[in-house]
């Protein structure tokens, strides 16, 4: 049910944010009969109502009208503002973490369930929901074929990606690049498809286009102040779950004055900075056709050096922004749209970013690259150049811009209240009924797609709350 007005109900749980974390928790708790309310700043679209063109999708589905920048305007961030969160615009590529991440996270945080074995039951529960599909040779487009042939030649290891999707109708002419603007088929396993639409049937209330601006939490209840169409509404719950993502959750806590009590609030931000390079060919590549993202590097040497390569592409408006040219020169580059291949380097960056709010409560993110980050980037870009040369590109263009699509940290989990915000029971230190299990609790960058683990951690919190 979508609420239209002010509510005086005392909810068992209010969940702020509706991405992979919020969706998972809303579904699990509503299904057990708990009275739950989801509050989401963005609009509520269904498969038939998602924007139909790229410009509208950027403006209507993303924070900042498409792109936000760090305080120095060097790095661009992408995050969605819509019911379903960033899973509405993501590629839904879903990987478990490896031992390298769990060992690192355990050493940093002292959290004892950070092992592949202890997290396995939660991954399994989540995976059962997500209609997972591992791509095969026949599903590669020409961009992927060029990438894999060159990797084989250079002896770089690669693998087929695994995506949450039920029926993308690729064999009937559908091009999946459209799902970056919301899936029109309910095939992609976004939080909306996998969880929220099912939770609605179990009684979940949803307030969309509602910005939680401040929270006030004591041992008995939480009070949430929400801005809707310029007026303030209040909601109440026994337990409050923050699921606004790295930026949203951290910003809300900072705006609500938690910074004074939580010294680690806003720290340890990482983002997997991504760099895109293009090969121009003298034949059609049509990287935008079919499944546009099916393969990636899986090379132990790359993992050790701290980067991975993905075979990607972008729709024309997004792609046009990536080139450092104007006028005729830019036009010449864009003429090659159908003859371009594209490879992206994503690095496992240091968690030295900081999320702050200004006096007016606006977000201000600092994300300088460390020397180690730059080394990882350069090693990755060298591997990309080798691949593009080996695959026969007649020209190589490297975009000077870089992006953060995986926003992580700000409310890191851990046992030490000086170095973390959330304890191993997902409770904010000192607040027994305030919980977080979204991307903000990541203590460091995993170098692996984050969504599946966000859902697995939320599944663990759901189990704990249901037992309680
Ligand atoms: C283009 C793109 C492609 C990606 N591809 C992949 C991929 O293939 N695989 C993968 O694992 N990850 C991918 N990601 C990253 C992944 O989608 C995110 O890491 C994940 O969605 C984060 O989940 P979350 O629940 O923490 O937050 P989000 O999904 O960001 O959800 C947070 C929600 O909370 C809302 N919110 C925030 N603050 C407030 C507030 N104060 N009041 C009300 N609502 C609020 C936001 O509007 C948002 O809808 C991609 C990201 C992008 C941008």
């Amino acid at each position: 049910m979508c609420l239209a007005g002010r509510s005086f109900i005392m909810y068992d749980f209010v969940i702020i944010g509706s991405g992979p974390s919020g969706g998972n928790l809303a579904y699990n708790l509503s299904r057990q009969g708990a009275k739950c309310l989801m509050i989401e700043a963005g609009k509520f679209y269904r498969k038939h109502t998602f924007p139909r063109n790229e410009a509208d999708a950027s403006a209507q589905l993303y924070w900042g009208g498409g792109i936000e920048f760090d305080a120095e305007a060097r790095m661009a961030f992408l995050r969605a503002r819509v019911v379903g969160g960033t899973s509405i615009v993501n590629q839904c590529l879903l990987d478990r973490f490896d031992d390298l991440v769990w060992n690192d996270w355990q050493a940093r945080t002292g959290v004892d369930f950070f092992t592949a074995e202890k997290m396995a039951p939660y991954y399994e529960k989540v995976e059962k929901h997500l209609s997972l599909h591992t791509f095969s040779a026949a599903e590669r487009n020409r961009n992927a074929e060029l990438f894999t042939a060159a990797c084989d030649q250079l002896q770089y290891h690669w693998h087929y990606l695994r995506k949450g999707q039920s029926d993308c109708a690729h064999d009937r002419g559908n091009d999946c690049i459209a799902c970056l603007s919301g899936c029109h088929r309910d095939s992609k396993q976004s939080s909306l498809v996998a969880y929220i639409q099912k939770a609605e049937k179990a009684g979940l209330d949803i307030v969309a286009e509602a910005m939680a601006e401040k929270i006030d939490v004591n041992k008995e209840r939480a009070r949430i102040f929400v801005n809707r169409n310029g007026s303030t509404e209040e909601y109440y719950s026994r337990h409050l779950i923050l699921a606004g993502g790295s930026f949203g959750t951290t910003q809300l806590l900072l705006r609500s004055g938690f910074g004074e009590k939580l010294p680690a609030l806003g720290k340890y931000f990482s983002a997997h900075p991504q760099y895109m390079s293009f090969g121009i060919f003298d034949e059609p590549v049509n990287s935008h056709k079919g499944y546009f993202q099916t393969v990636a590097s899986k090379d132990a040497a790359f993992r050790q050096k701290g980067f991975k390569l993905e075979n990607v592409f972008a729709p024309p408006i997004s792609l046009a922004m990536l080139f450092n040219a104007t006028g005729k020169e830019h036009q010449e580059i864009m003429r090659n749209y159908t003859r371009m291949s594209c490879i992206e380097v994503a690095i496992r960056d240091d968690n030295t970013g900081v999320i702050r709010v200004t006096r007016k409560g606006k977000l201000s993110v600092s994300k300088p690259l460390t020397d180690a980050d730059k080394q990882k980037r350069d090693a990755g870009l060298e591997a990309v150049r080798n691949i593009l040369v080996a695959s026969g590109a007649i020209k190589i263009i490297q975009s000077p811009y870089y992006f953060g699509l995986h926003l992580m940290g700000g409310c890191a989990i851990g046992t030490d209240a000086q170095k973390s915000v959330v304890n191993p029971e997902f409770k904010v230190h000192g607040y027994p009924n305030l919980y977080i299990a979204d991307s903000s609790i990541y203590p460091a960058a995993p170098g692996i797609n984050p969504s599946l683990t966000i859902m697995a951690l939320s599944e663990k919190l759901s189990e704990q709350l249901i037992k309680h």
Side-chain angles (χ1 to χ4, degrees):
M1 177 171 69
C2 198
L3 291 185
R6 191 180 173 117
S7 165
F8 295 98
I9 302 166
M10 173 61 84
Y11 284 93
D12 294 321
F13 297 94
V14 164
I15 302 159
I16 301 175
S18 60
S21 175
N24 174 288
L25 280 147
Y27 170 71
N28 283 322
L29 296 170
S30 300
R31 189 165 82 109
Q32 293 299 322
K35 188 74 196 141
C36 298
L37 169 70
M38 174 176 272
I39 295 173
E40 167 56 52
K43 290 188 178 166
F44 200 160
Y45 295 94
R46 305 282 182 181
K47 64 178 176 181
H48 298 302
T49 60
F50 280 121
R52 283 280 163 181
N53 68 62
E54 204 191 334
D56 285 348
S58 281
Q60 292 167 28
L61 301 182
Y62 284 87
W63 287 87
I67 285 184
E68 297 167 292
F69 286 92
D70 70 342
E72 292 80 25
R74 278 190 291 231
M75 182 170 185
F77 303 118
L78 267 64
R79 61 174 177 137
R81 174 186 180 138
V82 58
V83 173
T86 308
S87 71
I88 294 296
V89 301
N90 76 8
Q91 264 301 286
C92 210
L93 301 166
L94 299 170
D95 308 306
R96 291 190 187 195
F97 286 179
D98 58 13
D99 286 340
L100 192 145
V101 184
W102 293 126
N103 293 341
D104 175 47
W105 278 24
Q106 200 173 72
R108 286 175 191 269
T109 64
V111 175
D112 69 355
F113 60 80
F114 281 165
T115 69
E117 201 187 352
K118 288 193 176 142
M119 284 302 295
Y122 304 104
Y123 277 128
E124 276 160 28
K125 277 191 186 163
V126 167
E127 284 166 346
K128 275 192 196 140
H129 262 280
L130 294 171
S131 185
L132 291 170
H133 173 80
T134 301
F135 291 109
S136 61
E139 291 167 322
R140 283 178 302 183
N141 67 7
R142 184 76 186 126
N143 188 20
E145 284 171 356
L146 289 166
F147 176 85
T148 52
C151 283
D152 289 344
Q153 194 184 324
L154 294 160
Q155 299 188 325
Y156 295 160
H157 294 279
W158 59 272
H159 72 143
Y160 289 107
L161 292 164
R162 189 173 71 148
K163 182 170 171 174
Q165 60 174 57
S166 57
D167 178 17
C168 288
H170 171 242
D171 52 344
R172 281 153 278 153
N174 193 40
D175 292 323
C176 80
I177 206 159
C179 77
L180 291 173
S181 309
C183 177
H184 296 274
R185 312 179 53 80
D186 273 0
S187 171
K188 187 175 71 173
Q189 301 293 291
S190 66
S191 165
L192 178 67
V193 171
Y195 295 121
I196 295 170
Q197 292 181 161
K198 293 172 192 160
E200 280 182 290
K201 290 188 184 136
L204 173 70
D205 288 343
I206 302 174
V207 191
E209 297 178 67
M211 176 77 179
E213 293 199 315
K214 199 175 160 212
I215 56 171
D216 173 22
V217 186
N218 66 31
K219 283 191 179 118
E220 276 80 46
R221 56 114 189 94
R223 195 170 165 200
I224 303 107
F225 300 87
V226 171
N227 185 330
R228 264 184 113 193
N229 301 321
S231 55
T232 302
E233 297 177 359
E234 287 178 33
Y235 295 89
Y236 302 90
S237 64
R238 292 185 185 87
H239 306 271
L240 177 58
I241 299 171
L242 305 185
S246 174
F247 286 179
T249 293
T250 308
Q251 181 183 25
L252 182 56
L253 285 175
L254 286 167
R255 285 175 68 133
S256 306
F258 284 74
E260 287 161 24
K261 293 173 198 139
L262 300 165
L265 184 59
K267 292 187 182 162
Y268 311 121
F269 170 64
S270 58
H272 290 161
Q274 300 186 355
Y275 304 81
M276 287 165 91
S277 300
F278 301 86
I280 312 287
F281 289 78
D282 54 13
E283 53 165 17
V285 180
N286 289 324
S287 300
H288 60 293
K289 300 297 283 179
Y291 292 121
F292 79 100
Q293 208 175 349
T294 53
V295 292
S297 67
K298 195 178 180 68
D299 194 295
F302 293 178
R303 181 89 177 116
Q304 213 218 334
K305 285 182 188 166
F307 70 86
K308 68 171 178 167
L309 308 182
E310 278 191 6
N311 195 232
V312 292
F313 209 60
I317 297 176
S318 309
L319 197 97
M321 291 192 297
L322 294 173
F323 300 114
N324 190 21
T326 49
K328 196 161 186 301
E329 193 191 348
H330 191 265
Q331 197 181 15
E332 286 304 317
I333 296 173
M334 287 307 291
R335 266 188 219 285
N336 294 306
Y337 187 77
T338 56
R339 294 192 291 120
M340 279 180 194
S341 74
C342 177
I343 305 170
E344 155 206 293
V345 179
I347 64 167
R348 183 169 173 240
D349 54 325
D350 288 333
N351 62 352
T352 48
V354 182
I355 303 168
R356 299 184 181 87
V357 290
T358 64
R359 263 195 229 143
K360 289 189 174 167
K362 290 217 156 60
L363 205 58
S364 171
V365 180
S366 170
K367 182 65 181 112
L369 294 181
T370 64
D371 288 345
D373 292 338
K374 290 175 189 163
Q375 274 172 18
K376 292 170 195 172
R377 173 199 64 194
D378 293 346
L381 289 174
E382 189 186 330
V384 169
R385 268 192 303 277
N386 293 341
I387 293 171
L388 292 174
V389 169
S391 56
I394 52 173
K395 189 175 174 190
I396 295 172
I397 304 175
Q398 194 206 303
S399 172
Y401 307 110
Y402 61 105
F403 293 84
L405 273 56
H406 302 166
L407 311 179
M408 301 164 287
C411 303
I413 192 168
T415 47
D416 181 347
Q418 293 301 307
K419 292 185 186 156
S420 60
V421 170
V422 172
N423 73 19
E425 289 182 314
F426 304 97
K427 293 177 183 174
V428 172
H429 292 297
Y431 295 86
N433 51 356
L434 179 59
Y435 305 87
I436 313 175
D438 66 10
S439 49
S440 72
I441 72 167
Y442 274 35
I448 293 177
N449 283 315
S451 291
L452 187 69
T453 305
I454 294 168
M455 290 183 265
L457 292 168
S458 302
E459 189 77 33
K460 188 169 190 334
L461 171 57
S462 302
E463 184 186 273
Q464 177 188 313
L465 292 171
I466 290 162
K467 275 187 193 156
H468 176 80

